[in-house]
Amino acid sequence: MTPERSHDAVLERLAQVIASRRQGDPERSYVARLLARAPDAVLKKIGEEATETVMAAKDGDAARIVAETADLWFHCLVMLEQYGLGPGAVLDELARREGLSGLEEKAARKAIEREREDSGTAPSTPSHPRS
């Protein structure tokens, strides 16, 4: 894949298209319709797509797994737009976790959650700019 077609660039371009549809006519734009009915419509679609992804994986059909995962990712990008986030925020979090043991990372998150509960501090909303 060429640099201008890198995976993160594809996600960013798709996020830009989704953002541009935010102000679109819900009668003419699927994304505008979802965002006009957010959060419920967006979250319902994510649930549906996640279920379809799981069913494709259970069937072991590689082409369907890829297609359903693409649908799921697309709807997750719509959700990120709904909250003023972009794929860069997720990629940053994945990069932060890179090289960490999954078990150690999960234990660290639980420790932070316990500290917040003990101190009465609510979990913070991600402060990532749209990226």
Side-chain angles (χ1 to χ4, degrees), residues 18-29 31-33 36:
I18 289 168
S20 75
R21 304 273 166 82
R22 180 183 270 284
Q23 301 305 320
D25 179 357
E27 296 298 317
R28 302 188 73 189
S29 167
V31 170
R33 184 178 316 143

Side-chain angles (χ1 to χ4, degrees), residues 2 18 20 27 32 35 45-46 58 62 64 67 84 97 106 119 122:
T2 62
I18 289 168
S20 75
E27 296 298 317
L35 290 171
K45 282 305 294 181
I46 290 173
K58 295 246 336 150
R64 270 192 56 226
R97 294 180 186 189
K106 185 175 181 178
S119 69

Side-chain angles (χ1 to χ4, degrees), residues 4 14 16 22 30 37 45 50 58 74 80 90 106 112:
E4 59 275 354
L14 185 53
Q16 290 170 1
R22 180 183 270 284
Y30 175 70
R37 298 175 181 169
K45 282 305 294 181
K58 295 246 336 150
F74 173 82
L80 289 170
V90 177
K106 185 175 181 178
I112 291 169

Side-chain angles (χ1 to χ4, degrees), residues 49 52-58 60-74:
E49 298 302 343
E52 291 172 9
T53 302
V54 168
M55 291 175 7
K58 295 246 336 150
D61 183 336
R64 270 192 56 226
I65 292 168
V66 170
E68 295 300 345
T69 300
D71 290 344
L72 177 59
W73 286 14
F74 173 82

